[in-house]
Amino acid sequence: MTDDCDRTTPAFAPHDHRACEARALDEAAGRLAEQGGRMTPVRRRTLEILLESHRAMGAYEVLDRLAAEGFGHQPPVAYRALDFLVEHGLAHRLQRLNAFAACLHPGHDHAPAFLICRACDKLAELPAAPVRTALSNLAAETGFAVERVTIEALGLCPACAEAGA
């Protein structure tokens, strides 16, 4: 078992998830300090909820958790917190799932790719700079300037593939 979700841990590999969460929270706090952002209690709890498991969560699922803990029942509570986390590079929005996932490397600017298991909904975040560069270069040949790329690959994680899902 590896120590945490560092950049060398293979996707979906067993790891010490508490260390993974703690490192991501520490990096998030450092990033916000550099950016001058403020981590309010609802923003912090939203990030903690997203970090609990390696899967994406919908805004209403996050809202239900926040409401159960006394943070409010109105959708703007969750959406504002999630928008803040995405804006500051602490979470990612996954278009295919219409959901959000905690950034596992908030201390580093990066262009991630997501591997999404269609059977168990777990996901892994991988660095995708080479893919983004290749796409940008191909697009540039047509005169198109890529501004944002989100790469989401759907398939089976090793456990689900082994189980024959």
Side-chain angles (χ1 to χ4, degrees):
M1 188 176 293
T2 59
D3 289 335
D4 61 18
C5 299
D6 66 19
R7 292 181 170 280
T8 62
T9 302
F12 304 105
H15 63 281
D16 179 347
H17 191 69
R18 289 188 194 272
C20 176
E21 288 178 89
R23 184 194 43 74
L25 285 169
D26 287 347
E27 284 188 18
R31 184 176 186 106
L32 283 181
E34 289 173 4
Q35 296 175 346
R38 188 169 151 252
M39 183 67 87
T40 64
V42 71
R43 291 170 180 167
R44 180 175 177 85
R45 186 62 190 130
T46 300
L47 182 56
E48 290 169 346
I49 289 168
L50 291 176
L51 283 167
E52 288 175 357
S53 64
H54 291 292
R55 67 181 191 84
M57 297 178 76
Y60 280 92
E61 187 177 359
V62 172
L63 177 61
D64 289 344
R65 294 282 306 278
L66 291 171
E69 296 176 21
F71 286 102
H73 300 83
Q74 300 302 315
V77 171
Y79 279 109
R80 286 182 187 135
L82 290 165
D83 287 345
F84 174 87
L85 296 175
V86 169
E87 179 184 333
H88 290 276
L90 308 180
H92 302 287
R93 181 177 173 93
L94 287 95
Q95 301 298 323
R96 184 184 193 307
L97 302 176
N98 192 26
F100 299 84
C103 179
L104 298 179
H105 309 291
H108 310 279
D109 285 327
H110 60 288
F114 298 96
L115 306 178
I116 305 166
C117 181
R118 66 173 168 76
C120 70
D121 292 329
K122 285 189 177 177
L123 74 116
E125 177 183 334
L126 300 175
V131 176
R132 182 185 168 112
T133 299
L135 180 60
S136 293
N137 290 342
L138 287 170
E141 291 175 13
T142 69
F144 187 84
V146 173
E147 294 177 349
R148 186 173 66 92
V149 174
T150 303
I151 300 168
E152 301 175 16
L154 186 66
L156 292 172
C157 71
C160 290
E162 186 176 311

